[in-house]
Amino acid sequence: MKMLINVPETVVADALRGMAAAHPELTVDVENRVVVRKDAPVAGKVGLVSGGGSGHEPLHGGFVGPGMLSAACPGEVFTSPVPDQMLRAAAAVDSGAGVLFIVKNYTGDVLNFDMAAELAEDEGIQVAKVLVNDDVAVTDSLYTAGRRGTGATLYVEKIAGAAADEGQPLERVAALAKQVNENSRSFGVALSAVTTPAKGSPTFDLPAGELELGIGIHGEPGRERRPMMTSGEIADFAVGAILDDLTPRNPVLVLVNGMGATPLLELYGFNAEVQRVLAERGVPVARVLVGNYVTSLDMAGASVTLCQVDEELLRLYDAPVSTPGLRWGM
C-alpha cells in the first residue's frame, strides 16, 4: 500500500509536527503527545479533555479550540493514549473549575482515563467523566464491553465545549455531556477495509462487491456482510437501525460522516437518502453536518449519527466554535 509517510514508527509525531506548523493557535507538545488551546487555562472555565488512538482525524486534536475541547491526547494509531498524557493535559487546562474527561467506550481508553482521573485528583484537580457509547450496531466488540463510542463524540465535545466556554460549572457541563450521549445513536458502514501504517495492508478481508454493515471505527466486525447495496438501501438500513433504538420526540442533529476515503460527492448523495428516510419516518431535522469528522484512516464508507435536541442543546450546538476541524460563528 502507498502511504504519504516516512516510516510507520514516526507517523503520529510527524503529524503533530505538521499540526503545530499549521495551527499556531494551538500548543502542540510533540514529545509528550498533548494538544492544548494556546490560551489555556482560562480563568473560571471548566477544562475539557478527550483523546484516543490516532487515525480518526480530525477527532480529537482537530477539535481543540474555543467552543470545543481544551486539550486532546493522541495515542499511537488505533491505540489508547496513556494516563501520563491525560494527566499532563488536565494539569495544563485546569483553572480551578475542574476538568471533564470525554471518553469513547473502548476498553483501553476507559481504563487509562480512569487511572488518569485518580492521578489528577491526587494532585488536587477535580475531575468528572462522561462515557460516549452511541453505536447501535453491536453490543460488544473486539475493543469494547458494551456499545462503542463513535460519531456522537463530536456532539458531546461541541455542546459541552460551548457550555464550558459560557462558564457553566463542572456538574452542569458533565450533565449536558451525558444528556447528549443518551440522546445520540450511530450506525456505520464499510465499503473497504482499513490499512494501518504498521501493517501496510488491509486489516481485514472485505471482498470486492461486498460491504460490512455496522462496522466500528477500528475495522471491528459489524452486524453482517452483504453484497454491495445502493446508497438508498444503505440509508434505509442504517437509519432504520438507529430509529429501532431511538424514538426522537424532538428535532435531531444529523451527522453524515465519512470514514476517511469516501469523497464528498458520495457523502452528499448519501445524505440526500438519509434525509429521505427521516422524512418518511416523520423525524424533523434541526441541523445537518456532512464530511469527514470521525474517520478510520483510509476506510471507504460512512456513518450516520442522530442526536435529538431541545432548545438548550440546539443553542449550545449553534454557539461559535473555532477549531481546525470545526468552525462557525467566529
Side-chain angles (χ1 to χ4, degrees), residues 295-312:
T295 62
S296 184
L297 291 171
D298 63 343
M299 182 188 287
S303 63
V304 179
T305 302
L306 303 183
C307 174
Q308 68 167 334
V309 290
D310 56 20
E311 290 184 3
E312 175 71 355

Side-chain angles (χ1 to χ4, degrees), residues 60-279:
H60 293 274
F63 294 149
V64 174
M68 218 159 173
L69 294 176
S70 306
C73 310
E76 291 296 330
V77 172
F78 292 177
T79 303
S80 173
V82 298
D84 284 351
Q85 290 173 261
M86 301 161 185
L87 178 61
R88 189 179 297 271
V93 304
D94 179 43
S95 67
V99 174
L100 177 65
F101 283 167
I102 298 173
V103 188
K104 300 190 306 302
N105 188 32
Y106 294 97
T107 302
D109 291 358
V110 172
L111 292 174
N112 286 339
F113 269 105
D114 282 348
M115 187 179 301
E118 293 178 4
L119 294 171
E121 288 168 353
D122 288 344
E123 296 194 5
I125 301 171
Q126 184 183 6
V127 174
K129 293 172 289 183
V130 61
L131 189 68
V132 183
N133 57 352
D134 54 303
D135 182 22
V136 303
V138 295
T139 300
D140 297 302
S141 75
L142 299 176
Y143 295 81
T144 308
R147 290 181 168 179
R148 303 175 290 211
T150 57
T153 312
L154 180 149
Y155 290 140
V156 172
E157 293 177 355
K158 172 64 188 75
I159 290 171
D165 271 19
E166 289 182 349
Q168 297 197 36
L170 179 60
E171 295 78 9
R172 177 60 179 161
V173 175
L176 285 166
K178 291 175 183 176
Q179 181 183 353
V180 172
N181 178 65
E182 291 167 358
N183 288 348
S184 299
R185 303 290 189 276
S186 298
F187 191 93
V189 179
L191 308 183
S192 72
V194 59
T195 302
T196 62
K199 191 172 190 297
S201 60
T203 57
F204 63 95
D205 177 42
L206 186 57
E210 294 187 3
L211 79 168
E212 185 93 15
L213 294 165
I215 198 74
I217 58 174
H218 306 95
E220 310 99 303
R223 284 190 181 181
E224 61 181 287
R225 187 168 291 185
R226 288 190 181 183
M228 187 60 195
M229 301 156 66
T230 67
S231 177
E233 291 168 339
I234 295 171
D236 286 328
F237 193 101
V239 177
I242 291 171
L243 295 180
D244 285 344
D245 201 87
L246 176 73
T247 303
R249 300 177 302 278
N250 298 323
V252 297
L253 307 174
V254 180
L255 172 62
V256 172
N257 171 69
M259 301 306 291
T262 301
L264 278 170
L265 179 71
E266 296 177 31
L267 291 177
Y268 278 119
F270 182 50
N271 179 54
E273 297 298 337
V274 169
Q275 300 303 318
R276 170 188 59 79
V277 178
L278 292 172

